[in-house]
Amino acid sequence: MSEDAPRPLPDGGPPPSGPVLRRMAGRGRDEAHRTATPLELFFDLCFVVAVAVAGRELVHALAGGHPEHGVPGYLMVFFAVWWAWVNFTWFASAYDTDDVLYRVVTLVQIAGVLILSAGIPRAFDKGDFSVVWFGYLVMRLALVSQWLRAAFSTAGAERRTALKYAAGVSACQVGWLGLLFLPDRARPWVFLVMALLEMAVPALAEMTRETAWHPHHIAERYGLFTIIVLGETVSAATVAVQSALEESEALDELLPMAAGGLLLIFAAFWIYFAVPIHLHLASNRQAFLWGYGHYLVFGSAAAIGAGIEVAVEQAAGKAHISTAAASSAVTVPGALFMFSVWLIHSRHYKRTPAQQLVLPVSALAVLACTFAGDRAVLLAGLVAAATVAAGVWLSTRNPPLAEA
């Protein structure tokens, strides 16, 4: 076996050592029955806090009529949340030992997520990213220690890849200091440059030797996080409707809106899980493009819930914005979700032009619902439901194409 090939482990599991400290070797892409662990599920659950806080701040900004402030702020803080999750997920797919030290370091990363979550309102309201940066520092110190541990446990090209990750992550963390010390007008550019550098680290680190991430495990992890984000969207929308009912008797407006929002969320779930995407993740190039594209998938899915909250507040008279503006808070992320899922996810398994056109055309139709007045959200939900029905009908006539 060559030095650069991922090394299979006995019985498809972690190296046979004691439960306190195991040698951190690559797990192997051909490992059987590789699934998410309880620790990974707990990690995802804690990220829901950050997603919820970011969504709440977006609601406040949009309902207050300040999209020029709320949308860029949401994009920035959601990137921080999403990228922290990505860093852990791909590392865990390749090097999860599930020993005591690994668990303790992961819990430290979770503590960093909670610190980051606590700093999101200050970042939104005052442009103060100090708490967010410190939360990221806690997560990054833990992550770098994991990469250094992987380097210590391996040799050759695998060791060099781990060291490149440790160096790249550390350098980027220093770069984010620009958000704290540069003028406000420079922050969008700092964010853009640093986001690109962050996403370049994996590509550069794995240029000569790929880590042993597991395709089925990665697909499952992204799917589970999609469910968690959609679950947070359902929760946010439910709370919004409940609050509106306590202070308003506008049932003729709220019930259709709730029905449309629920249809949109259900359709989002159905659309995402319609294809076996793990078969597509055959190389770093395919997997990285797919994984990076989920910034739009996750961000738009979470924003749907925030948009429903805004629409409910506008219907209840709490948000002093136009009906079209409130409707767009639902239809724009709904359309973006459909298009981004098609672009990075489902189009790889569509066999006919009709199948390929369903989601892009539906995304445009959902956008057009913005101008349907008080029934915009209901109509968007009906379009989403029709999209699912069309997809199911077409797939029965032309089964999805499975990639080798």
Side-chain angles (χ1 to χ4, degrees):
M1 181 176 295
S2 69
E3 177 187 66
D4 292 343
R7 291 170 293 180
L9 300 172
D11 300 324
S17 305
V20 176
L21 189 65
R22 295 188 175 110
R23 178 172 171 266
M24 186 173 271
R27 299 219 24 186
R29 292 190 180 181
D30 57 350
E31 180 181 328
H33 310 297
R34 181 77 166 94
T35 59
T37 66
L39 181 62
E40 289 174 321
L41 298 178
F42 182 56
F43 187 86
D44 289 357
L45 185 62
C46 293
F47 264 81
V48 173
V49 177
V51 172
V53 174
R56 186 170 66 242
E57 293 301 319
L58 178 62
V59 170
H60 293 163
L62 295 181
H66 303 291
E68 73 286 350
H69 169 71
V71 173
Y74 175 76
L75 293 176
M76 292 174 69
V77 298
F78 195 88
F79 178 87
V81 173
W82 167 75
W83 190 247
W85 180 86
V86 167
N87 285 175
F88 169 80
T89 297
W90 288 79
F91 178 87
S93 187
Y95 289 106
D96 182 6
T97 58
D98 200 31
D99 57 15
V100 171
L101 180 58
Y102 181 87
R103 290 190 176 195
V104 170
V105 174
T106 300
L107 294 176
V108 171
Q109 289 179 277
I110 291 175
V113 173
L114 299 180
I115 295 171
L116 182 151
S117 303
I120 288 176
R122 293 173 64 92
F124 255 92
D125 300 336
K126 302 177 182 179
D128 180 1
F129 286 85
S130 58
V131 178
V132 171
W133 184 89
F134 180 72
Y136 231 62
L137 177 65
V138 173
M139 287 187 289
R140 287 304 182 76
L141 288 175
L143 179 64
V144 169
S145 74
Q146 296 278 48
W147 280 116
L148 291 176
R149 182 184 172 193
F152 180 79
S153 302
T154 56
E158 185 176 5
R159 181 175 186 271
R160 290 192 293 272
T161 296
L163 290 174
K164 288 177 184 177
Y165 264 110
V169 169
S170 300
C172 286
Q173 182 61 30
V174 174
W176 285 112
L177 284 170
L179 291 177
L180 305 185
F181 298 111
L182 292 178
D184 291 351
R185 63 180 180 276
R187 284 175 180 165
W189 297 106
V190 172
F191 167 76
L192 180 60
V193 171
M194 290 310 305
L196 292 175
L197 289 176
E198 287 276 5
M199 291 187 289
V201 169
L204 294 175
E206 302 197 23
M207 188 173 294
T208 56
R209 202 272 184 189
E210 297 182 359
T211 54
W213 52 267
H214 194 285
H216 191 281
H217 178 246
I218 285 292
E220 181 190 29
R221 296 288 289 113
Y222 273 74
L224 290 172
F225 200 71
T226 300
I227 292 174
I228 286 176
V229 171
L230 290 175
E232 168 56 30
T233 295
V234 171
S235 175
T238 302
V239 171
V241 173
Q242 179 184 1
S243 299
L245 288 175
E246 291 176 353
E247 302 181 20
S248 173
E249 299 300 330
L251 288 177
D252 57 332
E253 293 184 35
L254 293 179
L255 290 181
M257 192 174 296
L262 198 59
L263 284 174
L264 188 58
I265 296 168
F266 286 173
F269 167 83
W270 195 299
I271 290 167
Y272 185 88
F273 290 99
V275 298
I277 195 61
H278 68 277
L279 299 175
H280 173 67
L281 308 181
S283 68
N284 270 10
R285 183 179 180 276
Q286 293 170 310
F288 284 1
L289 289 174
W290 175 84
Y292 288 174
H294 273 72
Y295 171 60
L296 297 177
V297 174
F298 293 156
S300 59
I304 290 173
I308 294 173
E309 287 193 67
V310 172
V312 168
E313 289 192 10
Q314 193 274 337
K318 295 181 181 179
H320 302 292
I321 56 177
S322 67
T323 300
S327 300
S328 67
V330 179
T331 57
V332 171
L336 180 59
F337 179 88
M338 287 185 175
F339 184 77
S340 58
V341 168
W342 170 79
L343 183 65
I344 69 166
H345 191 76
S346 62
R347 69 182 176 87
H348 304 293
Y349 295 89
K350 304 301 183 182
R351 298 183 59 182
T352 67
Q355 287 178 310
Q356 290 286 6
L357 285 172
V358 169
L359 284 177
V361 170
S362 296
L364 292 175
V366 168
L367 273 181
C369 294
T370 303
F371 308 101
D374 295 339
R375 293 295 184 264
V377 177
L378 175 61
L379 189 57
L382 292 173
V383 169
T387 301
V388 171
V392 170
W393 180 69
L394 288 171
S395 66
T396 58
R397 298 183 59 188
N398 300 280
L401 179 64
E403 297 190 3

